Amino acid sequence: MEHFNAASAEDLEQTLLACLRSRRWARRVADHRPYPDLDSLLAAADEAAYDLTWADLTEALAAEPLPTLPPDTYSAAHTALDAAHAAYEARFGHVFVICLDGLSPSQVLDRILEAIRSRLTNDPEEERAVTAEELRRLARGRLLAALRGAGNCAISH
């Protein structure tokens, strides 16, 4: 927490935007520094995510990569996943996002395909809520990784 609270505004903005590409979310999280502990930071990050408008979420979605499959996945699985992503984007107008924290590589493909199939039955408003929750979960996981100094979301010292 010490590094997070002491980071320059520029470094912190880059870190937060790597966690969730919403300027409004990043500003809200940064503006409430200093945080006394990790739980306070995560609560503030969650609250900021809950308050995002659809325009804010659209900004974040534009920068989200598609979930990736383990390298040893069969080409037929890639084809199936590409088709599922295309159907999702055609229905909802944005990329499919899902938080896969805690899954083993062998579970990823099944979970992604299952979730896309299930979420394709959502109406647009329901899917917006699910998408917002998945983005919140992704941001939380990336923020935890940043604080641990892991991944591409690390805070410069």
Side-chain angles (χ1 to χ4, degrees):
M1 287 308 310
E2 182 180 323
H3 290 297
F4 186 90
N5 286 329
S8 71
E10 183 179 306
D11 284 346
L12 187 59
E13 178 181 9
Q14 291 309 306
T15 295
L16 291 171
L17 288 174
C19 296
L20 184 66
R21 205 77 163 141
S22 164
R23 293 203 179 280
R24 184 170 179 236
W25 178 83
R27 274 192 306 273
R28 288 209 40 211
V29 173
D31 287 350
H32 287 88
R33 284 190 299 172
Y35 291 98
D37 54 38
L38 178 60
D39 289 338
S40 298
L41 170 60
L42 294 176
D46 285 348
E47 183 179 330
Y50 290 132
D51 290 342
L52 295 177
T53 65
W54 184 245
D56 299 323
L57 294 171
T58 300
E59 175 188 25
L61 285 167
E64 278 298 316
L66 292 174
T68 57
L69 297 177
D72 61 344
T73 305
Y74 293 108
S75 64
H78 284 279
T79 302
L81 189 59
D82 289 345
H85 281 297
Y88 181 91
E89 286 188 43
R91 173 139 168 76
F92 297 111
H94 58 81
V95 298
F96 174 80
V97 292
I98 185 169
C99 182
L100 298 168
D101 290 350
L103 293 181
S104 70
S106 65
Q107 298 173 303
V108 168
L109 176 61
D110 289 340
R111 178 67 186 112
I112 292 171
L113 288 172
E114 172 190 311
I116 290 176
R117 281 188 211 114
S118 172
R119 289 169 56 184
L120 278 168
T121 65
N122 290 346
D123 65 58
E125 285 302 313
E126 184 179 19
E127 185 54 26
R128 282 183 182 191
V130 172
T131 297
E133 177 60 14
E134 292 297 324
L135 283 171
R136 184 198 65 76
R137 291 180 62 214
L138 285 167
R140 180 181 252 267
R142 292 169 182 162
L143 187 54
L144 282 168
L147 293 171
R148 292 183 186 119
N152 64 353
C153 189
I155 297 172
S156 301
H157 299 283

